[in-house]
Amino acid sequence: MTTFKRRTLLCAAVAFAASVGFQPALAAEPDYNAVFPGILMNKDIEQTGQEMKPVKKDNRPLKLGFLPTAMDTYYQRVLAGVKEEIDKRGGAEAIELLVQAPSSQSATDDQIRAMEAWINDGVDAIAVALYNEGALLPSIRRATEAGIPVFLFNSPVADNPYYVSDIGYDQSDGGRAQAQWLVDTYGDKDVKIGILEGLPGPHTSQRMKGFNEIISKHPNFKIVAQQPAGWVRAQGLSVTENMFTANPDIEVLVALYDEMALGGLQALKAKGLNGKVAIVGYENMKEANAAILTGDFSATVDTGAKEEGRNVVRAVDEFLMKGNPLPKKIFVAPKVYDAKNIKTFDQTDYDYVPQQKM
């Protein structure tokens, strides 16, 4: 048979297969939602090729380093989720949890020292929350080169090519949720807003980016004051005092973290304005949750802190215990709580609840 005839027959066979609907078998997409409930796959991005590849490790316990930016109320909830998922896998016999907490949100040197120590000790995995990504990049690269996968959590801007997965939520979605609640609540009414920002950096900039994307489309909302309050309650109090002295007609106080909002509440109470000025917080801390029930807060955004911790361990399990690939972004959606739905929130979400092995 000539080459021409063989090509003619091959083309005819391909045409026939297409005409009757034959398609080549495609590899099934991993069902990540079965592992990470509520994962937003539209947030995922392409792998860089420089991150570690999955590997199934048989040594037990796996050593997991957990490194927040500081051990505040948010990270305590994340840690509770981490501990519960470790329980489900057999506790300390399966995963040994190593926790280091810097002295403050901006104590990047503490994070670098902890990461370098873990690299030297040869831990199996590191989960780290970034405040200053540039400063930690060399350590993340060294960990990867040493065969230690790095998982990020609560890290708003993850530009380095070495991390395996970024776990948490889109920080700008949190700001959008705050702004959308205002739009849904006040409609076309003219409203003056004061904003308590956090420390300058990606957490603040991403949350404000989302907030401004929504609020800029509604000119009836006017931001009359906007000042940093350092993520802490004491500064939330003092900044709110000064803000309302200069702008006594503010009708809504928006805070990018509940600690600052709770400080703002103290300042408003001292001025006799609690219940008269709406407070919209961020994080659904236990005290903020209670403040909604009493009417002192109007709303807060829950970003799934405990679920974030669960997803950290689920990711380690999939990547190192089962040897499965992971999406680059493991994000879930924030949720707004106000007087209408606050009683639906599960209060055990604030605490570590020991779990039985799966």
Side-chain angles (χ1 to χ4, degrees), residues 73-127:
T73 51
Y74 176 83
Y75 289 116
Q76 287 170 2
R77 283 179 70 189
V78 177
L79 184 58
V82 167
K83 289 179 176 179
E84 289 185 12
E85 283 299 308
I86 290 176
D87 284 351
K88 292 178 182 179
R89 285 155 181 80
E93 293 182 1
I95 299 176
E96 180 184 350
L97 181 62
L98 310 171
V99 180
Q100 290 287 338
S103 55
S104 70
Q105 292 279 359
S106 56
T108 304
D109 288 347
D110 291 351
Q111 286 192 307
I112 293 171
R113 281 191 290 270
M115 283 198 68
E116 292 297 327
W118 285 337
I119 293 167
N120 292 335
D121 290 344
V123 300
D124 295 290
I126 296 173

Side-chain angles (χ1 to χ4, degrees), residues 12 36 57 79 83 101 114 183 190 206 240 242 246 262 276 279 297 302 307 334 349 357-358:
F36 307 103
K57 301 189 76 170
L79 184 58
K83 289 179 176 179
V183 171
D190 290 338
Q206 288 297 304
T240 301
N242 295 334
L262 289 163
K276 299 176 183 178
I279 297 177
F297 268 35
D302 188 281
E307 188 69 3
D349 196 79
K357 183 178 178 180
M358 294 186 297

Side-chain angles (χ1 to χ4, degrees), residues 42-308:
N42 64 327
K43 299 288 185 180
D44 197 22
I45 61 174
E46 293 293 326
Q47 302 282 325
T48 67
Q50 297 186 67
E51 56 274 286
M52 260 192 68
K53 299 297 185 285
V55 57
K56 187 175 181 180
K57 301 189 76 170
D58 296 323
N59 61 294
R60 299 290 184 272
L62 294 179
K63 292 185 177 181
L64 169 61
F66 178 81
L67 185 58
T69 57
M71 193 52 74
D72 59 17
T73 51
Y74 176 83
Y75 289 116
Q76 287 170 2
R77 283 179 70 189
V78 177
L79 184 58
V82 167
K83 289 179 176 179
E84 289 185 12
E85 283 299 308
I86 290 176
D87 284 351
K88 292 178 182 179
R89 285 155 181 80
E93 293 182 1
I95 299 176
E96 180 184 350
L97 181 62
L98 310 171
V99 180
Q100 290 287 338
S103 55
S104 70
Q105 292 279 359
S106 56
T108 304
D109 288 347
D110 291 351
Q111 286 192 307
I112 293 171
R113 281 191 290 270
M115 283 198 68
E116 292 297 327
W118 285 337
I119 293 167
N120 292 335
D121 290 344
V123 300
D124 295 290
I126 296 173
V128 57
L130 300 180
Y131 174 75
N132 184 337
E133 182 177 32
L136 283 169
L137 178 58
S139 296
I140 295 172
R141 185 186 68 246
R142 278 194 287 274
T144 302
E145 291 170 349
I148 301 170
V150 176
F151 301 87
L152 308 183
F153 63 98
N154 195 39
S155 299
V157 179
D159 286 333
N160 79 80
Y162 304 106
Y163 71 90
V164 173
S165 292
D166 181 15
I167 301 164
Y169 69 101
D170 185 336
Q171 302 270 334
S172 60
D173 280 350
R176 290 186 193 97
Q178 286 182 308
Q180 191 61 53
W181 184 88
L182 292 176
V183 171
D184 293 343
T185 301
Y186 291 96
D188 295 332
K189 179 183 175 183
D190 290 338
V191 179
K192 294 182 178 179
I193 302 171
I195 299 178
L196 299 177
E197 296 185 344
L199 290 168
H203 290 81
T204 291
S205 62
Q206 288 297 304
R207 293 176 192 184
M208 284 308 307
K209 175 186 174 184
F211 185 88
N212 287 327
E213 279 180 11
I214 299 296
I215 219 69
S216 63
K217 299 173 184 176
H218 301 272
N220 54 304
F221 292 95
K222 184 178 180 182
I223 299 173
V224 298
Q226 188 171 346
Q227 297 179 39
W231 303 119
V232 296
R233 194 172 307 199
Q235 289 188 46
L237 189 157
S238 60
V239 171
T240 301
E241 286 177 340
N242 295 334
M243 185 181 290
F244 274 78
T245 297
N247 303 276
D249 55 349
I250 291 174
E251 297 160 280
V252 176
L253 180 66
V254 173
L256 301 189
Y257 185 45
D258 280 337
E259 278 286 354
M260 298 184 294
L262 289 163
L265 175 60
Q266 289 179 262
L268 293 178
K269 282 184 174 180
K271 293 177 176 289
L273 294 174
N274 58 303
K276 299 176 183 178
V277 174
I279 297 177
V280 180
Y282 191 113
E283 211 47 72
N284 190 23
M285 284 174 51
K286 196 168 189 176
E287 288 178 77
N289 189 294
I292 292 175
L293 290 169
T294 62
D296 286 330
F297 268 35
S298 294
T300 187
V301 176
D302 188 281
T303 60
K306 196 173 189 180
E307 188 69 3
E308 184 176 300

